[in-house]
Amino acid sequence: MRVEVRVESADNELRSLLNWLRSDPDIKRSAALEMREQPPQEGQMGTAADVVQLVTENGWNAANFVLALAAWKRTRPRASRVMVRRDDLVDALTDCSEEQIARLIRLLQEEQGGEGARR
């Protein structure tokens, strides 16, 4: 399964998130992480970091991932919106409420091709 995480802020927030997730032993053991870049837009030089991509392997635990993501978000000085995408399913983590965390875990645990809402 491939999961993409987008942070509505600067590149350094994505790098911080990537380092945070790489330091989590459960995530490091069950998934490959990388930062994907998009090609530069017209008038821009170089590339810009776009998303942190997580590709799961055996032993994937969606709850561990979402809890690590929420823990990272709580450490950030600015309240950036974090978008999580799996296939066509997209949801946002804004205030790290129990409801949002539970909804995001469900999104990541749904069967491939399941119905999901865009938020």
Side-chain angles (χ1 to χ4, degrees):
M1 173 182 6
R2 178 170 287 140
V3 176
E4 294 181 347
V5 181
R6 222 177 271 280
V7 179
E8 293 181 354
S9 61
D11 265 2
N12 58 346
E13 290 294 286
L14 273 178
R15 291 183 205 297
S16 170
L17 174 59
L18 181 62
N19 290 334
W20 183 279
L21 294 174
R22 283 183 173 160
S23 71
D24 185 290
D26 291 326
I27 294 171
K28 187 166 45 172
R29 185 174 40 252
S30 65
L33 294 159
E34 65 180 29
M35 193 176 311
R36 266 197 16 221
E37 297 179 340
Q38 62 186 7
Q41 295 179 357
E42 191 172 324
Q44 287 183 330
M45 295 180 65
T47 59
D50 186 24
V51 297
V52 168
Q53 181 176 279
L54 175 139
V55 179
T56 63
E57 300 172 354
N58 293 335
W60 161 250
N61 187 321
N64 284 346
F65 169 70
V66 173
L67 291 174
L69 184 61
W72 170 82
K73 186 166 176 357
R74 288 181 185 120
T75 69
R76 309 318 300 157
R78 289 188 21 208
S80 299
R81 185 175 181 182
V82 177
M83 302 297 296
V84 178
R85 172 186 295 271
R86 193 203 88 211
D87 302 325
D88 293 334
L89 306 174
V90 179
D91 207 344
L93 187 60
T94 54
D95 63 10
C96 298
S97 66
E98 287 183 27
E99 178 185 318
Q100 280 187 352
I101 290 170
R103 187 178 66 222
L104 195 51
I105 291 169
R106 282 192 306 273
L107 173 131
L108 295 175
Q109 290 176 334
E110 285 185 23
E111 291 296 319
Q112 296 281 351
E115 292 296 316
R118 289 185 179 265
R119 304 210 189 268

